[in-house]
């Protein structure tokens, strides 16, 4: 019945003993080789300290009272829940710590490793949360994305780094948040990620969920970056209501509204990768769309958001838990730790730990970080999808114009003006639409996209100038901004006295953070210096490219020290898209040397050619 110490463990009659059996013994004699020693068995669970090293391969080291455990002690502890120190003192650990040890020294896929690391850090078993873990592991394994066959465009170096990072996450089952600054090309990076996933596994299925106004823009972006991939658009009245509709398609694009209404169909399909564009729309975890998103059967989830935290730290929890369930713990435990803490005592500590955790799964680069790789001006052309009611009204206007043409075309110019007003906002031609912000958003997809873009600019604390053609639409935008953001935008159009214009610009330039100037492209598109703005939005499109160039030059000019984002909004599959294509082509052909003209007959001819093409 003698006890014997062998390889750092206790055995009796050749049988290794469990910690539970030893704990009941108290004090025993045991042989270590030929020497008999008195063994003292601790009555209290021992606290073990962890250290994690990512190189050369990920592994844990264990420490007791500042001293590292050797291989025998580590094996005994992880296998039998106890170890012997000084050759004569036996220490056991609690069942909770035993579970943590089992996880740490077992087979750990990367998501479980990351959860374990955060748990160890939060519970005080590990001092430092390893920073940039994914990048370290990816670099060690020299993993690069494989998208060259399907992705046909070039990426900036920082975008290539982003795709490599996203690819590694996807390959290892880690959900992530792509939170790059506005204008840094999140769409290009995730399309490259889709190509990477499909090149590695051609039978994979990708789901992309987007805001309604951006449906057509995503289709066009795929056509630009990866033309061999034709996304299946699940949207509208003619969509099929069965999951088999997706069988022959590798990429499915759907808006949030359709995902929510068709969730019972979507949850029958396994998606290897899911991308949520403008993912701040899911920041309320109790909303119908968030609950629907969580019902999807997804391998890896990527949330795209330039503003991962808008109003509350709960925004960060909601997005993180969407892409990586449980990484930040449960909602209530997170809330009790961060949201209701005594800020004066614990905010700094809490945020440091939280930021460290978020950095593990969030990729965020700001323009200032990659300035040398960027051009001075980022042109961002965005196709806006007409809403169902807008589409019906647009087609009715086109029918009216075609009918006019068949009868001599005498009324084409007034109808063109009416069409331009309609594409600015239906409220310009329909007096029944209320002028509050929500009603304006609901009745115009372009207006909805404008407000979404302004939300991002608000979060970035930047300034923006918006060009709009009609006085009434300028007033509508000004009212909505006042209601939504609590600021009164300056306006420079034909109603603004000349002697007041510079003071409006000075006030705008001197203000701190977010601000808006609303400009008419003809009245205020020349001669003004507004380099305080780093964003330009062409809300109403001009049919003359030189007018838009002149307008953009209010912000993008000598004295501008920052990259300028220039947003061109146009309705997909309408005359606006033809104008956008014409302007881009003309800019290329003329190398930006275009005379400023105001030729209504030219505009009329463009419209007539468009109508003729529709009828052919």
């Amino acid at each position: 019945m003698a006890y014997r110490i062998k390889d750092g463990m206790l055995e009796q009659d050749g049988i290794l003993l469990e910690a539970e059996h030893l704990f009941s013994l108290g004090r025993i004699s045991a042989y270590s080789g030929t020497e008999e020693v008195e063994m003292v068995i601790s009555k209290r669970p021992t606290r073990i300290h962890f250290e994690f090293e990512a190189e050369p391969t990920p592994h844990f080291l264990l420490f007791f009272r500042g001293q590292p455990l050797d291989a025998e002690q580590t094996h005994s502890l992880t296998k039998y829940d106890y170890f012997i120190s000084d050759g004569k003192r036996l220490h056991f650990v609690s069942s909770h710590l035993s579970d943590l040890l089992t996880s740490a020294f077992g087979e750990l896929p990367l998501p479980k490793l990351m959860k374990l690391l955060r748990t160890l850090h939060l519970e005080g078993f590990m001092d430092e949360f390893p920073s940039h873990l994914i990048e370290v592991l990816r670099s060690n394994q020299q993993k690069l994305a494989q998208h060259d066959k399907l992705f046909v465009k070039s990426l900036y170096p920082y975008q290539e780094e982003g795709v490599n990072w996203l690819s590694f996450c996807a390959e290892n089952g880690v959900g992530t948040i792509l939170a790059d600054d506005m204008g840094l090309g999140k769409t290009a990076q995730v399309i490259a990620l889709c190509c990477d996933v499909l090149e590695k596994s051609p039978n994979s299925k990708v789901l992309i969920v987007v805001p309604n106004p951006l449906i057509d823009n995503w289709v066009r972006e795929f056509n630009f970056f990866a033309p061999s991939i034709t996304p299946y658009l699940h949207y509208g009245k003619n969509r099929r209501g069965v999951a088999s509709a997706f069988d022959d398609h590798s990429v499915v694009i759907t808006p949030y509204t359709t995902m929510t209404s068709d969730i019972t169909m979507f949850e029958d399909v396994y998606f290897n990768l899911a991308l949520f564009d403008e993912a701040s729309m899911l920041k309320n975890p109790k909303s119908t769309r968030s609950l629907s998103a969580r019902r999807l059967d997804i391998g890896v989830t990527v949330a795209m958001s330039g503003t991962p935290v808008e109003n509350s730290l709960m925004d960060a929890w909601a997005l993180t838990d969407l892409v990586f369930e449980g990484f930040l713990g449960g909602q209530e435990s997170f809330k009790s730790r961060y949201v209701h803490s005594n800020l004066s005592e614990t905010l700094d500590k809490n945020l440091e730990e939280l930021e460290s955790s978020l950095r593990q799964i969030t990729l965020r680069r700001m323009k200032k970080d990659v300035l040398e790789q960027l051009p001075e001006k980022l042109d961002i052309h965005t196709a806006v999808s007409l809403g169902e009611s807008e589409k019906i009204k647009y087609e009715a206007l086109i029918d009216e114009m075609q009918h006019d043409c068949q009868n001599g075309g005498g009324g084409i110019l007034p109808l063109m003006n009416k069409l331009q007003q309609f594409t600015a906002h239906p409220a310009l031609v329909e007096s029944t639409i209320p002028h509050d912000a929500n009603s304006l958003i609901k009745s115009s997809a372009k207006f909805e996209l404008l407000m979404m873009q302004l939300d991002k600019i608000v979060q970035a604390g930047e300034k923006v100038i918006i060009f709009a053609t009609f006085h009434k639409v300028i007033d509508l935008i000004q009212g909505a901004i006042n209601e939504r953001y609590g600021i009164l935008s300056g306006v420079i159009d034909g109603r603004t006295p000349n002697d007041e214009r510079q003071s409006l610009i000075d006030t705008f330039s001197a203000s701190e953070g977010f601000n808006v100037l609303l400009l008419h492209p003809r009245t205020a598109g020349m001669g003004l210096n507004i380099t305080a703005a780093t964003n330009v939005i062409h809300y109403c499109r001009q049919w003359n490219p030189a007018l838009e160039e002149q307008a953009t030059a209010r912000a993008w000019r000598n004295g501008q020290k920052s990259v300028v984002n220039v947003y061109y909004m146009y309705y997909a599959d309408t005359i606006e898209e033809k104008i956008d294509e014409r302007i881009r082509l003309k800019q290329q052909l003329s190398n930006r040397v275009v005379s400023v003209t105001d030729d209504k007959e030219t505009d009329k001819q463009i419209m007539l050619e468009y109508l003729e093409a529709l009828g052919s």
Side-chain angles (χ1 to χ4, degrees):
M1 297 292 289
Y3 296 100
R4 188 170 295 278
I5 301 172
K6 183 179 180 181
D7 298 329
M9 293 173 284
L10 276 175
E11 66 175 20
Q12 187 180 41
D13 296 334
I15 299 174
L16 291 172
L17 301 176
E18 303 282 350
E20 184 178 352
H21 172 75
L22 294 169
F23 175 69
S24 64
L25 298 178
R27 184 184 292 265
I28 61 172
S29 296
Y31 285 93
S32 178
T34 59
E35 180 185 358
E36 185 176 11
V37 296
E38 290 293 317
M39 294 288 303
V40 178
I41 300 175
S42 173
K43 289 294 184 182
R44 291 183 178 181
T46 293
R47 191 169 182 85
I48 297 296
H49 196 74
F50 290 69
E51 285 189 8
F52 176 78
E53 294 187 357
E55 302 178 87
T57 58
H59 64 281
F60 285 95
L61 300 174
L62 301 178
F63 291 79
F64 172 62
R65 295 176 180 170
Q67 297 300 312
L69 299 190
D70 61 25
E72 285 187 352
Q73 291 171 319
T74 299
H75 175 73
S76 173
L77 182 58
T78 56
K79 188 75 173 175
Y80 293 100
D81 297 336
Y82 72 88
F83 68 97
I84 298 171
S85 69
D86 303 325
K88 59 183 180 181
R89 186 174 292 275
L90 186 145
H91 309 270
F92 70 96
V93 295
S94 66
S95 58
H96 174 60
L97 185 51
S98 173
D99 291 340
L100 295 176
L101 286 162
T102 300
S103 297
F105 288 84
E107 290 294 324
L108 268 183
L110 186 53
K112 289 187 177 180
L113 171 62
M114 295 172 69
K115 279 187 181 181
L116 175 63
L117 287 169
R118 185 166 192 272
T119 297
L120 292 171
H121 182 56
L122 281 177
E123 296 186 7
F125 293 112
M126 190 171 69
D127 290 336
E128 293 186 13
F129 197 109
S131 61
H132 309 295
L133 174 63
I134 288 176
E135 187 53 39
V136 171
L137 295 178
R138 191 194 66 77
S139 298
N140 289 346
Q141 298 175 28
Q142 298 183 327
K143 289 279 191 177
L144 297 175
Q146 300 172 16
H147 54 72
D148 294 343
K149 294 179 182 176
L150 297 174
F151 194 87
V152 300
K153 300 295 182 181
S154 298
L155 293 167
Y156 292 114
Y158 75 87
Q159 291 177 319
E160 285 283 7
E161 292 172 9
V163 177
N164 289 334
W165 189 86
L166 291 167
S167 170
F168 184 81
C169 289
E171 198 168 311
N172 286 276
V174 178
T176 186
I177 301 170
L178 179 59
D180 281 348
D181 195 6
M182 294 178 298
L184 292 189
K186 291 188 285 292
T187 302
Q189 292 177 73
V190 297
I191 289 177
L193 171 64
C194 294
C195 294
D196 172 76
V197 168
L198 292 171
E199 285 190 24
K200 291 174 179 173
S201 181
N203 293 324
S204 296
K205 199 171 290 294
V206 178
L207 174 66
I208 304 174
V209 187
V210 306
N212 287 54
L214 294 178
I215 303 165
D216 285 285
N217 192 65
W218 269 92
V219 173
R220 283 157 176 74
E221 293 288 84
F222 264 96
N223 186 51
F224 179 76
F225 289 110
S228 62
I229 299 176
T230 303
Y232 175 73
L233 191 57
H234 183 74
Y235 173 66
K237 295 178 180 178
N238 296 323
R239 67 186 186 274
R240 293 176 59 191
V242 290
S244 59
F246 304 151
D247 286 352
D248 298 327
H249 304 280
S250 57
V251 176
V252 177
I253 297 176
T254 193
Y256 284 99
T257 50
T258 305
M259 175 203 70
T260 302
S261 61
D262 291 359
I263 188 59
T264 54
M265 168 187 161
F266 274 102
E267 64 184 349
D268 285 341
V269 182
Y270 174 74
F271 294 97
N272 302 78
L273 174 68
L275 306 167
F276 291 94
D277 189 18
E278 302 294 348
S280 60
M281 297 179 71
L282 300 171
K283 65 184 179 182
N284 178 4
K286 296 181 180 178
S287 69
T288 303
R289 70 165 69 106
S290 289
L291 294 173
S292 297
R294 290 166 182 272
R295 287 172 58 181
L296 296 168
D297 188 7
I298 301 169
V300 176
T301 302
V302 176
M304 302 165 61
S305 176
T307 55
V309 179
E310 291 189 15
N311 303 310
S312 163
L313 289 179
M314 290 308 300
D315 297 348
W317 180 87
L319 278 193
T320 302
D321 204 65
L322 172 73
V323 303
F324 194 153
E325 186 176 0
F327 182 59
L328 295 182
Q331 184 175 356
E332 292 306 315
S333 64
F334 180 88
K335 186 182 294 185
S336 65
R337 178 180 292 275
Y338 299 107
V339 180
H340 298 299
S341 297
N342 184 325
L343 295 182
S344 63
E345 295 180 7
T346 61
L347 183 58
D348 289 340
K349 179 181 177 182
N350 281 348
L351 286 185
E352 182 181 347
E353 182 279 318
L354 178 59
E355 287 174 352
S356 179
S357 298
L358 289 173
R359 276 196 297 270
Q360 303 302 314
I361 63 165
T362 303
L363 186 63
R364 181 164 178 79
R365 280 82 56 87
M366 308 302 289
K367 283 195 283 287
K368 61 182 175 59
D369 300 326
V370 294
L371 203 56
E372 293 180 359
Q373 299 178 27
L374 292 174
E376 297 173 325
K377 177 167 69 79
L378 292 170
D379 290 325
I380 304 164
H381 294 254
T382 304
V384 187
S385 303
L386 285 164
E388 290 295 332
S389 62
E390 286 180 287
K391 189 178 295 185
I392 293 169
K393 293 166 186 173
Y394 175 82
E395 291 172 352
L397 277 171
I398 293 297
D399 288 344
E400 188 177 356
M401 297 177 84
Q402 289 178 316
H403 180 73
D404 180 79
C405 289
Q406 293 168 2
N407 290 280
I412 194 68
L413 288 179
L415 286 171
M416 281 175 58
N417 186 59
K418 184 178 180 181
L419 184 66
Q420 287 176 319
Q421 289 181 327
F422 175 80
T423 55
H425 199 291
L428 271 64
V429 296
E430 295 180 40
S431 59
T432 57
I433 296 176
H435 289 184
D436 62 282
N438 284 338
S439 298
L440 293 172
I441 288 170
K442 288 179 181 177
S443 52
S444 167
K446 188 190 285 188
F447 200 87
E448 180 183 358
L449 182 61
L450 173 66
M451 291 297 126
M452 289 170 57
Q453 194 57 53
L454 288 178
D455 286 345
K456 300 180 198 174
I457 296 171
V458 168
Q459 289 297 318
E462 297 177 356
K463 292 181 174 61
V464 56
I465 52 180
I466 303 172
F467 287 99
T469 304
F470 302 100
H471 289 166
K472 188 173 180 180
V473 81
I474 287 174
D475 294 341
L476 292 178
I477 295 172
Q478 185 188 44
I481 289 172
N482 189 18
E483 177 186 338
R484 196 172 176 95
Y485 308 113
I487 66 169
L488 186 62
S489 310
V491 172
I492 301 178
D493 59 19
R495 300 168 295 181
T496 312
N498 286 334
D499 58 359
E500 294 180 10
R501 296 180 181 184
Q502 189 57 48
S503 64
L504 285 170
I505 295 171
D506 292 343
T507 300
F508 172 81
S509 301
S511 63
E512 291 292 328
F514 172 71
N515 209 339
V516 182
L517 261 184
L518 292 161
L519 308 179
H520 191 289
R522 294 183 183 275
T523 307
M526 298 177 66
L528 302 179
N529 185 335
I530 319 177
T531 53
T534 53
N535 297 276
V536 177
I537 298 177
H538 291 284
Y539 180 76
C540 298
R541 301 305 302 276
Q542 304 305 302
W543 292 32
N544 185 323
L547 284 177
E548 289 196 340
E549 286 294 299
Q550 290 276 11
T552 298
R554 297 317 94 220
W556 185 54
R557 60 192 297 112
N558 287 339
Q560 178 57 263
K561 298 178 181 178
S562 303
V563 174
V564 177
N565 296 328
V566 185
Y567 300 93
Y568 304 86
M569 298 180 177
Y570 63 90
Y571 276 116
D573 301 320
T574 71
I575 181 63
E576 283 201 324
E577 182 163 11
K578 297 301 178 186
I579 297 302
D580 186 79
E581 291 172 355
R582 171 179 172 267
I583 286 174
R584 282 201 258 187
L585 179 62
K586 202 164 185 180
Q587 286 172 340
Q588 294 170 10
L589 293 175
S590 64
N591 195 26
R592 299 180 186 268
V593 181
V594 184
S595 61
V596 179
T597 62
D598 186 11
D599 191 344
K600 282 295 180 185
E601 287 304 310
T602 301
D603 293 354
K604 177 180 176 181
Q605 191 60 41
I606 294 168
M607 190 74 231
L608 292 174
E609 290 174 1
Y610 172 72
L611 294 172
E612 184 179 350
L614 289 177
S616 61

